[in-house]
Amino acid sequence: MKYLILIHNSPAVIELFGDMSEEERSAAFQVYWDVEADLQASGELVDSSALDTDAQKSVMRGADGAVITDAPRPEVAEVVSGYYLVDVADEARAAEIAARFPEAVVTGGMRIARIWTEADFAENT
């Protein structure tokens, strides 16, 4: 099953990293490379990337076409800052991977979502 592991940046995550010493922050960032290497070795990694949190945009369909604004909008306190797309046995394995990241110690820092297949859509329509 494919799962998308989403890493969220929020005020709590910013505080978490801000409170770390240089050595702690270096060790925290090493986790990303370690997880990446482990997932490549196990064959579970499909794709991963860090996202530019400063250049994200919100897109809405308007009467005259797409309306593009800066994101996150002021009322949104968090933004997706990275992802790992994995192909794993089950939800428990996806959660196990997500729990390794530094952001997992704050509420809402990590999220997982199963990727739906064509069969899932057929079953749920």
Side-chain angles (χ1 to χ4, degrees), residues 60-68:
M60 294 181 63
R61 185 178 57 232
D64 297 322
V67 177
I68 303 169

Side-chain angles (χ1 to χ4, degrees), residues 114 116-125:
R114 187 170 68 84
W116 272 25
T117 65
E118 207 174 304
D120 292 317
F121 281 102
E123 185 178 299
N124 288 286
T125 56

Side-chain angles (χ1 to χ4, degrees), residues 48-99:
S48 70
S49 190
L51 303 175
D52 184 344
T53 57
D54 294 328
Q56 293 183 17
K57 303 289 181 185
S58 290
V59 179
M60 294 181 63
R61 185 178 57 232
D64 297 322
V67 177
I68 303 169
T69 59
D70 287 338
R73 294 170 31 169
E75 65 273 14
V76 179
E78 65 180 35
V79 63
V80 177
S81 58
Y83 69 89
Y84 285 75
L85 179 58
V86 297
D87 193 351
V88 295
D90 54 28
E91 181 180 277
R93 175 63 178 140
E96 176 185 334
I97 296 165

